[in-house]
Amino acid sequence: MSDRLSFTIHELVAEIGAYADGVLRSRYGVGYNHFQFLAILADVEPSDMTRLAHCLGVTKAAVSKRVPALVEDGWITADSPAGAGRSVLLSLTPKGAALVRDAGAVLERDFAAMLAAPALADDPIDAPRLNAQLNRLIAFMQSPTAAAVPVQE
């Protein structure tokens, strides 16, 4: 554990990812990266590969490399609409949507329970407030205003 906020955030994200990966593998037979791909697609579908890559924080090539296996395994569809040139639109299949819905609900429930754990009772975490604060931070960091914040030397 660290007194440095950037390290603490990184460690928290790693722990959340590891926990989610364990739950997803044991209950649903998929890893966190697989689930995350589908969950993010659910938020932006239908989506072309470029937009999905941006949302995932990976390259378009990384997305396009994963698509054939996800289509073959019945998680997503990849359609080329008429008049769309080379654009391919990705969407979840009912199987993919069910995984995102069901596994997402389990993870949300588990993380909410962790935030309310008796071990944290001496300094309770307000989950809705924390989520709102993190969303505000994300929005700020994605805005042009963040780039204009002076660096403290």
Side-chain angles (χ1 to χ4, degrees):
M1 304 226 187
S2 175
D3 291 335
R4 296 169 67 177
L5 181 60
S6 59
F7 290 2
T8 301
I9 290 170
H10 176 76
E11 189 174 5
L12 176 62
V13 169
E15 289 298 324
I16 289 169
Y19 177 84
D21 192 69
V23 168
L24 293 165
R25 286 187 190 284
S26 68
R27 292 189 182 192
Y28 301 96
V30 300
Y32 183 64
N33 286 336
H34 180 103
F35 173 79
Q36 186 179 35
F37 186 103
L38 299 177
I40 290 174
L41 177 57
D43 284 345
V44 297
E45 72 176 329
S47 179
D48 65 22
M49 290 192 206
T50 302
R51 181 173 180 216
L52 183 57
H54 174 78
C55 293
L56 287 165
V58 300
T59 65
K60 182 180 172 185
V63 170
S64 97
K65 186 175 183 178
R66 293 190 68 187
V67 165
L70 292 170
V71 169
E72 186 176 319
D73 291 343
W75 297 107
I76 66 171
T77 61
D79 297 313
S80 299
R86 293 177 28 171
S87 183
V88 175
L89 290 180
L90 306 173
S91 296
L92 294 176
T93 63
K95 175 183 172 181
L99 175 71
V100 169
R101 180 189 64 244
D102 299 344
V106 166
L107 292 174
E108 283 293 314
R109 183 199 69 220
D110 287 1
F111 288 130
M114 285 180 199
L115 293 175
L120 302 175
D122 62 326
D123 188 13
I125 297 171
D126 182 337
R129 183 166 185 255
L130 175 62
N131 191 54
Q133 289 172 318
L134 292 172
N135 279 314
R136 279 199 342 262
L137 178 59
I138 291 166
F140 173 75
M141 292 182 77
Q142 292 173 339
S143 74
T145 307
V149 172
V151 176
Q152 302 286 324
E153 302 265 345

